[in-house]
Amino acid sequence: MLNNMRILVVDDDRGIRELASISLEVLGFESVATARDGQDALDQVQSASTPFECFLVDIQMPYVDGFELCAAIRSMPEYRAAPIIMLTAMSDRKYIDRALAAGATDYVTKPFDIMDLKARLNAAALVCEKAREGTALSERVHALADDLMHTTMVDIGDTFDIDDVPGYLNYDTFKDLVKSFGESGAQGAEFTAFQIADIHSIYCRCGSTAYFNFICDVSDAVSDVVATRGYIFSYLGNGVFLVFDPRSGGAQEKADLGEEIERQIWQLDLRFSDGNRIPVKLEQSNAFGFREMPRGIQPGLSSDNVQPLYETGT
């Protein structure tokens, strides 16, 4: 387990900050900083030479409260997918929903149970570890990307390494992450699959290189919608994207994801070489968990479990 994840604990209660620091040290996390309020946290985030990788944030604080801090962190590109765990003495659902809407990925109620905190931090650490591996792999692969694009044909069924897209993992790294979560017993996690309709026609009209660029553009749109919610995703080939929610926000929370993604794609104004708009329409599967996971992480997209989404037009 990753024990060098850089964590920032933000709480205006000195006792809570000290308790959290001691607890994290006991749990094996070696790189922990604290902030006395939201403004102090923002100052540290903006001046940090190495970005933080996880945040424990109190909700009720003076000057800049937890909701405002969470939204401010999420507005920074380098923190769009960083785990943010809210520390709150308020168990009222409306506060939790507001925190999640601001970009939080999880929450722990105070006084917190150390084993509960450990489980949530271990899940956050696993996401950070796999994201590091994915970033490192993407950097190595894309050092030769320009040359490779001129000499390598891209097939419609290929998976891709896509650089600088928050929340995106290449397929192999994504599979390893999913396997790790499954083996840890995280049965609450959920998957949602999206398939680009009529992908074969789009591939034929684009051609190999333009098709790769098209998938990269669609990945940017997917990232804009899902990364801020703490989800990760991968491209499986054949126009299929798989989104993974490690904390399971519920099917209702994901019901409109496809429509939001289509609106983001529409704003990109993607075009074929002849100038006509690429008609991107997504088909979304119902959310499914580990027990319903199809073999090989291949979502079954059929007329029974896929629904049409926002009509983009042509």
Side-chain angles (χ1 to χ4, degrees):
M1 181 58 63
L2 182 68
N3 60 2
N4 63 341
M5 178 172 63
R6 300 195 72 237
I7 303 173
L8 180 62
V9 179
V10 188
D11 200 301
D12 62 326
D13 187 322
R14 181 178 179 181
I16 293 294
R17 294 198 304 272
E18 293 179 351
L19 175 60
S21 296
I22 294 171
S23 299
L24 292 173
E25 181 179 351
V26 170
L27 294 175
F29 293 94
E30 302 170 352
S31 182
V32 179
T34 62
R36 62 182 178 273
D37 54 47
Q39 187 57 58
D40 184 24
L42 283 176
D43 292 341
Q44 292 193 46
V45 168
Q46 292 167 350
S47 63
S49 57
T50 303
F52 292 102
E53 296 170 296
C54 181
F55 298 86
L56 296 180
V57 179
D58 183 29
I59 289 182
Q60 289 184 305
M61 294 184 294
Y63 311 117
V64 177
D65 65 24
F67 303 124
E68 295 169 323
L69 175 59
C70 189
I73 292 172
R74 281 285 179 250
S75 69
M76 304 176 191
E78 63 270 37
Y79 292 112
R80 286 171 61 186
I84 301 178
I85 302 173
M86 307 303 285
L87 295 174
T88 175
M90 299 175 291
S91 58
D92 192 315
R93 184 67 200 182
K94 66 181 181 180
Y95 293 106
I96 296 170
D97 288 342
R98 185 178 172 189
L100 296 176
T105 53
D106 208 343
Y107 67 92
V108 175
T109 55
K110 296 187 292 188
F112 54 82
D113 178 88
I114 190 170
M115 296 310 296
D116 181 37
L117 181 62
K118 177 182 179 181
R120 296 171 190 273
L121 284 171
N122 282 347
L126 185 58
V127 171
C128 289
E129 184 177 30
K130 294 303 179 181
R132 283 180 178 177
E133 293 176 1
T135 299
L137 180 59
S138 291
E139 288 175 353
R140 292 197 300 270
V141 170
H142 287 84
L144 299 175
D146 291 337
D147 291 338
L148 289 175
M149 284 305 300
H150 292 296
T151 59
T152 303
M153 296 297 292
V154 175
D155 187 73
I156 189 172
D158 290 346
T159 60
F160 303 139
D161 293 310
I162 303 176
D163 200 10
D164 297 329
V165 178
Y168 182 87
L169 296 179
N170 72 63
Y171 186 41
D172 289 335
T173 302
F174 185 87
K175 285 194 297 183
D176 289 342
L177 174 62
V178 169
K179 179 180 178 182
S180 298
F181 265 87
E183 291 174 347
S184 70
Q187 297 298 323
E190 287 182 344
F191 303 83
T192 307
F194 301 91
Q195 184 167 40
I196 302 171
D198 203 19
I199 192 64
H200 289 278
S201 295
I202 292 174
Y203 175 78
C204 291
R205 288 190 63 180
C206 283
S208 179
T209 299
Y211 177 75
F212 174 84
N213 293 332
F214 165 71
I215 294 297
C216 289
D217 289 335
V218 173
S219 297
D220 284 332
V222 176
S223 174
D224 286 342
V225 174
V226 308
T228 56
R229 301 178 187 227
Y231 306 160
I232 59 174
F233 71 103
S234 186
Y235 177 66
L236 281 62
N238 294 303
V240 177
F241 290 85
L242 191 61
V243 175
F244 178 50
D245 173 8
R247 63 174 174 79
S248 180
Q252 185 61 40
E253 180 179 305
K254 301 177 182 65
D256 299 328
L257 276 182
E259 292 184 0
E260 293 183 44
I261 293 170
E262 284 195 353
R263 285 192 285 268
Q264 287 294 122
I265 296 172
W266 178 259
Q267 293 175 11
L268 294 177
D269 192 25
L270 303 181
R271 305 252 172 194
F272 293 113
S273 59
D274 60 9
N276 289 321
R277 183 187 287 270
I278 302 177
V280 182
K281 184 175 182 180
L282 297 181
E283 296 172 335
Q284 177 175 342
S285 73
N286 296 323
F288 53 91
F290 281 100
R291 292 178 182 176
E292 300 87 20
M293 195 67 171
R295 183 180 299 275
I297 321 179
Q298 295 294 339
L301 299 176
S302 67
S303 59
D304 295 328
N305 65 359
V306 175
Q307 57 191 35
L309 305 176
Y310 178 83
E311 188 70 57
T312 58
T314 57

